[in-house]
Amino acid sequence: MLDTKPAPGRVAVNDAQLAIPESIGLGPRQRWRQWIDGKDGLRLLRIVVVLGLIGFVIVPIVATIVMGSRADFESLLSDPAVHDATRNSLVSSAVSALAATALGVGFAVIFERFRFPGQNLLRWLLLIPFLIPPFIGAMSWMALLGVNGPVNQLLSRLGIEQTFSIFGGTGVIFLLTIHSYPIAYLVISAAIRQVPGNLEEAARIAGASNWTVLRTVTLPLIRPGMMAAFMLTFVSSLSDFGIPALIGLPERYTTLTTLVYRQLSSPSATNPLPEVSAISMVLMAVALVAILAQRGRAHSTQMTASASARHYQTGVFGAMGMVVTWLWVIVVSALPLMALASQALLPAPGVPLTLETITLDNIVTAVTSPTAVIGIQNSVMLAAGAAGITSILGLGVALLLARSKHPINPGIDVVANLPQALPGLVIAVGWLLVAPALGIFNTPVVILVAYVMAFLALVVQQLRGPLASVSAALEEAATISGASRLRAIIGTTGRIVAPVVLTGAIMVFLTAVRELTISILLVAPGSQTLGVAIFNLQQAGNYNAASALALIVAIVGIAGLSITATVTSKRQGN
């Protein structure tokens, strides 16, 4: 006799089997869990991440575009101040990006194609300008090349009438280059490491010299990396506020960022938000073009080295490169910080530095004054809050991108990483527009959410590599044991990458605690941050107290970011 018992989940009706939805027969709790899981088990996480990205990223960007479209473009385009600021911004950004890229190529060749003693220490010294906020770097060079600075004092003692000045357009371009070349060096070094070593070796076997190999083989292959470095440094320089404000404004050299700051802070300006938003739209468009160009070129730089790249003999050129690099880091990294330290340890500008004139009064005053205390408290609180929120949201974004395949994933990826390419000015203007509707205008909360938007990508990018290397076997085992897909991912993979999340949070904290551009546009009574406190002291002429506070921030930042980078590189190496 044939077995006519229906298969599980089906019922026999006139010898035909009809499917019954799995949700029938389930209780409310099971149905809720089934809806939360979705097809891939990550529906709830995806909803939370999408809502977070809409709130933190998309809303301020849309608000900026909407407000910018209301601007009087005819009046804006005919404004001489806008013309000058646009020209100065494009010229200073382009020239500094070209110079930074050239320096990046030179230093990348020296460190990736030569070996010499003290190379690791020299590489760390080379990157110091990258670890210091640009506005503090500007203060360091002001201390070094100021009217009463050590350089001009030395020239005066030698009877030389020439006086150096860091202020003006040339100084802006110079300092933008100094603070951009480490980015170019890091990008181009990564590109050189991907050059197939057998191509260079074949050229040498054919009789080419090292210079010929470099010119005809290596440099053409890393050209996409050089273009990516140029784009990154161009956008970075275009969005900088501290250097043009401290170095350019004293000589009336205005850029788009300082123009926006002046318009927003001017008591005589009537409703500057449409014009400011229009300028932000231009900066946003430039940033988008740069990031798209960079991504397109990143795909074209995929190279597989069939043999490891050969390092040249140190020889004469290696020794020359080592000497030039040591001289460079002494002048660019060491001397400005020493000048900043001397100004912080002197009772007044122009006082000779001797054992009798050294005092710690400026440092004590800087860290105990009400202005500094409020700035430190606010910065620590806001940076810690931003670190916590970006860690949670960044982990959610990274888990979705690494553990699911969904049509919305590319959009999540772009939105999460887009703010990193946007100038801080654009982010600040966006939240200036949104904050009144949310009731957070003139409160520290608006700075907090702007920090989250600006630094979210730091956590996402930290997690990409580690998540890709974690096997999904533990998640499958947890799922077999009865855990939901979301619970399995968070309970296994989430715990494994927790140290990486912590590293990303520390990087966000150390970056946010020293931030200036966003804070100075969103600052309100009682919400002054550390960067704004230093900037205001400098603008008020209290150079010694400003230098003391800036020196502390520089030392802590260099130490913290160096330790974090070392731990991250060791973890990736393992």
Side-chain angles (χ1 to χ4, degrees):
M1 185 174 181
L2 296 176
D3 185 8
T4 59
K5 184 178 179 180
R10 297 180 181 270
V11 61
V13 180
N14 295 329
D15 297 330
Q17 290 185 327
L18 300 178
I20 298 178
E22 295 181 0
S23 60
I24 294 181
L26 298 179
R29 184 175 179 180
Q30 288 79 9
R31 291 183 183 181
W32 172 247
R33 177 175 173 179
Q34 186 182 77
W35 184 87
I36 287 176
D37 287 345
K39 292 183 179 180
D40 59 2
L42 297 175
R43 176 180 287 168
L44 178 61
L45 179 61
R46 187 171 292 109
I47 291 174
V48 172
V49 166
V50 169
L51 290 177
L53 292 178
I54 290 175
F56 284 112
V57 180
I58 295 179
V59 168
I61 290 178
V62 172
T64 303
I65 296 173
V66 171
M67 181 61 73
S69 62
R70 301 175 183 173
D72 184 354
F73 286 95
E74 183 178 352
S75 174
L76 193 65
L77 293 175
S78 61
D79 189 348
V82 175
H83 289 173
D84 292 341
T86 302
R87 182 184 66 252
N88 292 340
S89 292
L90 293 177
V91 170
S92 61
S93 300
V95 174
S96 62
L98 285 172
T101 303
L103 288 170
V105 171
F107 289 128
V109 170
I110 290 174
F111 282 95
E112 299 301 328
R113 290 296 181 266
F114 294 94
R115 282 293 177 261
F116 43 82
Q119 194 169 30
N120 291 332
L121 173 61
L122 189 56
R123 182 183 286 109
W124 177 76
L125 292 173
L126 190 72
L127 295 176
I128 281 182
F130 180 66
L131 306 178
I132 300 176
F135 77 97
I136 291 182
M139 292 174 59
S140 302
W141 282 94
M142 289 168 64
L144 181 65
L145 297 179
V147 176
N148 296 315
V151 172
N152 285 320
Q153 286 185 358
L154 178 61
L155 293 177
S156 177
R157 291 171 187 170
L158 295 175
I160 301 175
E161 296 182 359
Q162 175 67 39
T163 300
F164 283 100
S165 175
I166 194 66
F167 298 103
T170 303
V172 169
I173 293 173
F174 173 71
L175 289 185
L176 288 176
T177 301
I178 295 300
H179 285 273
S180 298
Y181 83 81
I183 303 175
Y185 161 73
L186 292 172
V187 173
I188 296 170
S189 290
I192 286 185
R193 294 190 198 105
Q194 295 178 359
V195 173
N198 57 345
L199 296 181
E200 295 180 336
E201 196 62 33
R204 291 190 192 91
I205 294 174
S209 63
N210 286 339
W211 167 249
T212 303
V213 172
L214 177 66
R215 181 173 52 85
T216 60
V217 178
T218 309
L219 291 182
L221 288 176
I222 66 170
R223 191 174 295 140
M226 293 164 60
M227 288 300 300
F230 174 82
M231 291 292 184
L232 280 174
T233 53
F234 178 82
V235 172
S236 175
S237 298
L238 189 67
S239 63
D240 188 76
F241 169 79
I243 291 175
L246 292 174
I247 305 300
L249 286 183
E251 293 292 329
R252 298 182 179 180
Y253 185 86
T254 305
T255 62
L256 288 174
T257 54
T258 54
L259 177 65
V260 168
Y261 170 71
R262 288 199 320 188
Q263 290 182 345
L264 291 176
S265 59
S266 174
S268 60
T270 57
N271 192 21
L273 288 177
E275 287 73 19
V276 166
S277 299
I279 295 173
S280 299
M281 287 173 58
V282 174
L283 295 175
M284 193 187 309
V286 173
L288 286 173
V289 171
I291 193 173
L292 291 175
Q294 180 194 355
R295 287 200 170 200
R297 292 195 174 271
H299 293 295
S300 67
T301 58
Q302 302 288 337
M303 292 180 288
T304 303
S306 58
S308 59
R310 176 182 182 271
H311 291 283
Y312 300 162
Q313 298 289 333
T314 300
V316 175
F317 291 106
M320 289 176 59
M322 179 182 67
V323 171
V324 169
T325 307
W326 272 110
L327 291 174
W328 174 267
V329 299
I330 289 172
V331 172
V332 168
S333 300
L335 288 182
L337 285 179
M338 292 172 62
L340 186 68
S342 66
Q343 186 162 278
L345 296 174
L346 291 174
V351 176
L353 181 64
T354 63
L355 292 177
E356 290 76 17
T357 57
I358 291 178
T359 177
L360 297 178
D361 292 344
N362 292 321
I363 296 178
V364 173
T365 301
V367 298
T368 58
S369 65
T371 300
V373 170
I374 293 174
I376 293 172
Q377 290 176 345
N378 288 337
S379 287
V380 170
M381 177 187 68
L382 293 172
I389 297 174
T390 54
S391 298
I392 297 172
L393 184 56
L395 177 60
V397 170
L399 287 175
L400 283 178
L401 298 179
R403 287 296 188 262
S404 71
K405 294 182 179 180
H406 194 275
I408 203 174
N409 278 11
I412 291 176
D413 188 12
V414 171
V415 173
N417 288 282
L418 175 61
Q420 190 177 37
L422 295 179
L425 178 145
V426 174
I427 295 173
V429 169
W431 282 105
L432 271 178
L433 299 171
V434 175
L438 300 178
I440 59 175
F441 185 69
N442 275 348
T443 68
V445 178
V446 68
I447 301 178
L448 172 63
V449 291
Y451 282 175
V452 173
M453 177 180 176
F455 305 126
L456 173 63
L458 291 177
V459 178
V460 176
Q461 292 173 0
Q462 280 282 318
L463 287 168
R464 279 186 179 275
L467 278 176
S469 63
V470 175
S471 172
L474 293 177
E475 299 169 11
E476 296 172 357
T479 304
I480 294 173
S481 300
S484 66
R485 178 86 192 282
L486 178 58
R487 183 177 179 183
I489 290 177
I490 295 177
T492 57
T493 304
R495 291 185 179 182
I496 292 173
V497 299
V500 184
V501 177
L502 179 60
T503 301
I506 293 173
M507 290 188 65
V508 171
F509 177 86
L510 292 173
T511 305
V513 80
R514 312 172 305 158
E515 198 278 334
L516 175 64
T517 305
I518 294 174
S519 305
I520 202 166
L521 292 177
L522 299 178
V523 68
S527 63
Q528 178 176 266
T529 62
L530 184 57
V532 175
I534 297 173
F535 183 81
N536 288 340
L537 285 172
Q538 182 74 20
Q539 293 296 94
N542 196 348
Y543 303 121
N544 296 86
S547 298
L549 200 54
L551 180 65
I552 296 172
V553 172
I555 293 174
V556 173
I558 290 172
L561 290 174
S562 298
I563 293 172
T564 304
T566 301
V567 172
T568 302
S569 62
K570 287 183 178 180
R571 184 182 292 119
Q572 292 175 348
N574 293 335

